[in-house]
Amino acid sequence: MDKLINEFSFGLFFWQLLIFIGLVLLLKKFAWKPILDAINERESSIKDALSSADIARKEIESLNEENQRIIKSARSEREALLKEARNTGSKIIEDAKQEAKDSANQLIKQAQESIESEKRAAIQELKNQVAGIAIQIAEKVLHNELENKEKQNKLIKQLIKETKL
Amino acid sequence: MEIPAIVGAGLVVIGVGIGIGNIGKGAMEAIGRQPDATGKIQTVMLIAAALVEGIGFAALFAV
Amino acid sequence: MLKKIHLKTLILIFLGIGVVSANDFKGSTKNNKEDIKEYILHHLQDSHDFNLLSYTNDKGKKVHFGIPLPVILWDNGLKIFSSEKFHHGETVAQIGKDYYKLHHNKIYKTNSKGEIFYDESSHPTNVTPIDFSLTKGVVSIIFTSIIMFFLFKSLADSYKKNNKIAKGIGRYFEPIVLYVRDEIAIPNIGEKHYKKYMSYLLTLFFFIWFLNILGLTPLGINVTGNIAVTFCLALITFLITNFTAKKVYWKHIFWMPGVPLPMKIALAPIELLGVIIKPFALMIRLYANISAGHIVLMSLISLIFIFRNWLGSSLSFILAFSISIIEILVAVLQAYIFTVLSALYFGFAVEEHDHEDDH
């Protein structure tokens, strides 16, 4: 301790104090402040750049998402449209088929009916003609059969024979 | 017989040496366990070593 | 490539130390060890001239090479004269009516014969005038300050010119400035208060580092191993700590919260002592480390001239070389520790305690 106090030089202390404080103040004004400010500014600008890049990336992401969404909805819309079209088409076909079938059925029915009535008419006519013919034939036959007495007797006899009492 | 002061100072220096050695050992073990915290451990180690060292200086200059 | 150049420079530096020292010891065959011891002690002290080398010539006369520095004394008025007049302490200097003599690098007022009187414990009893001389140490401090000023001013200017990108020689120091901010100031002081201490911490770190390195050059100027210099630095740290301290800091010293009353009374003087011991340890640490480094280095170099044989001298050269490399590490380590501890003390001073009883 003695040695330390003995070694202490007031002049050196004085100059050191003066120069050091001067140096701190000078450097503060001319060096440290500008340096630290520049570094801070640089850091904040880097930070800003990074964050803006982040924001841009997020924006792009959201844009992408939007695009994806739009594409998806468009696709689903198209699908729906297609489906509807398909449905309508098949319905039209179905309707047409039904209509055709109906009209065909009606035609068939009409035809059948007219055929039936024609047939009946024909049958009626045929019946009439047959009856007429039969009467003519019967007239002729009767005419022939009952020309003489003998034949009339014979027939009566046969009829009596056939008739069983 | 009087023991000279320098012997006491020597004893203190031995103690300080052991102390700083222990601090270094502890720091190394800590770094071995957690290499990620190396910077922090080094700072704390230096501070602790500096404090122990202070005692050594006090003893040396008291002589 | 760069490493090679560095290695070459280092070797040159250490060879330089060897040459200077060799010249110093030339011719002093008698009592070599005593001479060396005196030389080392002399070297550790501040001196009034910039002595590059000195030797005793064939006629037994001491020859000095160096630059005399101005001596400024306050002794019933300001007295300024060149240190040449002391003739390295060999003769008495007459300034006006007064006589001064240099004795172990201290100036004493003497009679016309230059006699120094001693008391029982062999301390000189002569009057010592107040010495404001621009000594070797002061010149080194001024030199370092000028270098630092222009270095960091050029760094600051390069930001303006180059769109916030450092250029030139200052660029190498930008990472260190950042290191001081991010690894020393912010963790120890805290994000909130660190800004007002930055100027001091940065100046402190580079000042100590540069002076330490300057001490390892062949000039071997021992500035940071000087108690007045370290005392000044520690004093500034002490003053800043206590003048910027918050109320909580003083409360923790005088009335430690969260401990029982008797403990409070017992802790107060211990804590108060700690306030003084902390900067005191700072002062002693830097002084002792740098002084010890110089002593060890110079002793090892001196061994060359004690051994005076091929094997011993080369061995001591290798030892001195490796110690020099360690000293370069110590130079930056001591600057770092001084700065870290200063920052830590500032951190204690401005700390804000959220929990009153977390001790």
Side-chain angles (χ1 to χ4, degrees):
Chain A
M1 207 68 210
D2 247 16
K3 189 171 157 274
L4 282 187
I5 293 165
N6 206 30
E7 232 176 74
F8 184 83
S9 146
F10 183 75
L12 187 58
F13 168 73
F14 168 78
W15 287 112
Q16 156 75 7
L17 194 67
L18 202 73
I19 294 165
F20 188 75
I21 290 175
L23 185 67
V24 169
L25 295 179
L26 269 179
L27 280 179
K28 185 180 182 176
K29 185 159 188 294
F30 289 109
W32 304 135
K33 223 171 128 50
I35 289 174
L36 290 174
D37 282 354
I39 289 172
N40 271 341
E41 226 169 280
R42 197 175 60 195
E43 275 174 357
S44 64
S45 75
I46 289 171
K47 217 184 266 173
D48 281 357
L50 282 179
S51 68
S52 67
D54 217 38
I55 289 168
R57 201 190 308 126
K58 266 183 194 154
E59 234 161 60
I60 287 169
E61 252 165 44
S62 72
L63 263 178
N64 269 347
E65 235 164 67
E66 181 81 18
N67 280 350
Q68 217 66 31
R69 208 178 52 76
I70 288 170
I71 287 169
K72 214 173 167 186
S73 75
R75 198 173 289 151
S76 69
E77 210 168 308
R78 193 188 65 183
E79 223 125 272
L81 274 176
L82 274 179
K83 208 173 166 188
E84 211 182 299
R86 212 177 290 135
N87 277 351
T88 326
S90 63
K91 207 179 162 208
I92 287 168
I93 291 168
E94 201 78 8
D95 282 359
K97 264 185 192 165
Q98 194 64 38
E99 217 172 305
K101 213 189 253 173
D102 282 358
S103 64
N105 278 352
Q106 210 166 351
L107 274 176
I108 288 168
K109 212 174 165 191
Q110 269 175 9
Q112 269 173 347
E113 270 169 15
S114 70
I115 287 169
E116 199 70 23
S117 67
E118 289 283 319
K119 198 170 91 183
R120 236 179 276 135
I123 288 170
Q124 198 65 37
E125 210 183 299
L126 201 66
K127 265 183 191 165
N128 288 344
Q129 269 182 15
V130 168
I133 291 168
I135 289 166
Q136 271 178 2
I137 292 170
E139 217 177 61
K140 271 177 190 166
V141 169
L142 277 175
H143 199 71
N144 268 348
E145 284 284 312
L146 300 169
E147 278 175 319
N148 51 33
K149 236 40 189 198
E150 196 189 338
K151 269 189 187 176
Q152 281 174 5
N153 286 340
K154 205 184 168 184
L155 184 65
I156 291 161
K157 271 181 189 168
Q158 194 180 350
L159 282 172
I160 291 162
K161 216 178 152 183
E162 269 170 22
T163 320
K164 283 171 185 173
L165 293 168
Chain B
M1 197 184 100
E2 202 181 322
I3 299 169
I6 197 83
V7 175
L11 287 175
V12 172
V13 169
I14 291 171
V16 167
I18 293 169
I20 292 180
N22 269 334
I23 291 168
K25 177 171 166 257
M28 274 178 207
E29 282 170 359
I31 289 170
R33 265 198 299 274
Q34 276 186 302
D36 294 342
T38 306
K40 223 168 190 180
I41 293 166
Q42 267 173 352
T43 314
V44 176
M45 176 192 80
L46 280 177
I47 290 164
L51 292 176
V52 174
E53 205 185 29
I55 298 169
F57 288 138
L60 274 184
F61 285 98
V63 173
Chain C
M1 193 62 204
L2 206 65
K3 266 188 183 164
K4 268 183 190 166
I5 290 170
H6 281 178
L7 200 64
K8 273 182 192 164
T9 328
L10 281 180
I11 290 171
L12 275 178
I13 287 169
F14 299 128
L15 283 176
I17 295 177
V19 169
V20 172
S21 313
N23 281 330
D24 270 320
F25 295 119
K26 222 176 249 173
S28 53
T29 43
K30 266 189 270 165
N31 224 349
N32 223 342
K33 280 182 195 172
E34 280 300 312
D35 265 7
I36 287 166
K37 196 177 168 192
E38 199 171 309
Y39 180 82
I40 291 173
L41 285 178
H42 179 87
H43 158 85
L44 285 178
Q45 286 173 346
D46 206 1
S47 89
H48 283 83
D49 51 11
F50 222 112
N51 204 4
L52 291 177
L53 56 101
S54 55
Y55 60 92
T56 319
N57 64 11
D58 300 337
K59 288 165 195 161
K61 203 183 166 202
K62 269 208 160 184
V63 181
H64 297 274
F65 278 109
I67 308 152
L69 296 168
V71 175
I72 304 166
L73 294 179
W74 183 266
D75 185 25
N76 299 321
L78 202 63
K79 280 169 189 160
I80 303 172
F81 55 96
S82 165
S83 70
E84 246 177 333
K85 292 199 172 177
F86 289 127
H87 294 102
H88 307 280
E90 284 151 18
T91 58
V92 68
Q94 185 186 2
I95 308 298
K97 285 174 192 163
D98 298 313
Y99 298 91
Y100 299 101
K101 193 171 195 297
L102 205 57
H103 179 69
H104 287 303
N105 281 321
K106 265 195 162 181
I107 296 171
Y108 295 97
K109 204 172 177 181
T110 59
N111 54 21
S112 61
K113 284 177 196 155
E115 283 172 317
I116 304 250
F117 303 100
Y118 298 97
D119 61 8
E120 312 89 61
S121 52
S122 68
H123 285 307
T125 52
N126 294 46
V127 179
T128 51
I130 303 169
D131 185 2
F132 288 114
S133 306
L134 294 179
T135 56
K136 198 162 113 178
V138 177
V139 170
S140 311
I141 290 167
I142 293 171
F143 175 69
T144 310
S145 303
I146 290 170
I147 284 186
M148 273 176 73
F149 180 74
F150 284 108
L151 184 65
F152 291 110
K153 189 157 185 323
S154 81
L155 176 60
D157 290 344
S158 75
Y159 283 115
K160 279 179 216 150
K161 284 182 207 143
N162 286 298
N163 196 21
K164 288 178 205 114
I165 310 266
K167 226 179 172 184
I169 190 148
R171 186 175 57 188
Y172 298 105
F173 293 94
E174 192 203 271
I176 303 171
V177 172
L178 276 176
Y179 182 83
V180 171
R181 190 192 66 170
D182 295 337
E183 304 294 327
I184 295 179
I186 293 179
N188 287 318
I189 302 174
E191 195 82 53
K192 203 172 156 193
H193 298 286
Y194 83 94
K195 271 191 182 135
K196 61 180 168 186
Y197 298 111
M198 274 311 284
S199 301
Y200 175 64
L201 290 176
L202 282 167
T203 316
L204 186 69
F205 179 79
F206 286 110
F207 187 79
I208 297 175
W209 186 28
F210 285 6
L211 277 177
N212 284 351
I213 292 290
L214 195 65
L216 291 175
T217 58
L219 294 174
I221 311 152
N222 180 29
V223 182
T224 37
N226 214 306
I227 196 77
V229 174
T230 60
F231 173 73
C232 172
L233 295 174
L235 181 74
I236 297 173
T237 293
F238 172 77
L239 291 178
I240 292 178
T241 309
N242 290 305
F243 279 116
T244 58
K246 294 243 157 40
K247 224 170 82 185
V248 184
Y249 173 72
W250 293 114
K251 198 181 169 188
H252 272 78
I253 287 170
F254 291 114
W255 207 244
M256 179 71 84
V259 294
L261 186 71
M263 276 295 277
K264 278 183 184 181
I265 293 163
L267 273 176
I270 296 172
E271 287 279 326
L272 201 60
L273 206 63
V275 171
I276 314 234
I277 283 180
K278 280 177 199 163
F280 183 78
L282 273 185
M283 167 181 92
I284 297 293
R285 180 175 306 111
L286 184 58
Y287 163 80
N289 269 295
I290 303 303
S291 294
H294 277 248
I295 292 171
V296 168
L297 201 53
M298 296 201 69
S299 310
L300 284 174
I301 292 169
S302 312
L303 280 181
I304 298 170
F305 308 102
I306 290 175
F307 279 127
R308 283 180 181 277
N309 65 45
W310 189 83
L311 188 68
S313 297
S314 46
L315 241 169
S316 58
F317 172 76
I318 292 166
L319 261 175
F321 182 76
S322 38
I323 289 289
S324 300
I325 290 168
I326 291 173
E327 279 303 308
I328 289 172
L329 181 72
V330 168
V332 66
L333 189 70
Q334 288 308 316
Y336 170 74
I337 285 181
F338 202 107
T339 317
V340 164
L341 288 175
S342 293
L344 195 72
Y345 300 155
F346 299 155
F348 287 147
V350 295
E351 204 174 8
E352 280 157 9
H353 292 270
D354 298 328
H355 316 289
E356 277 296 277
D357 50 1
D358 61 2
H359 285 271

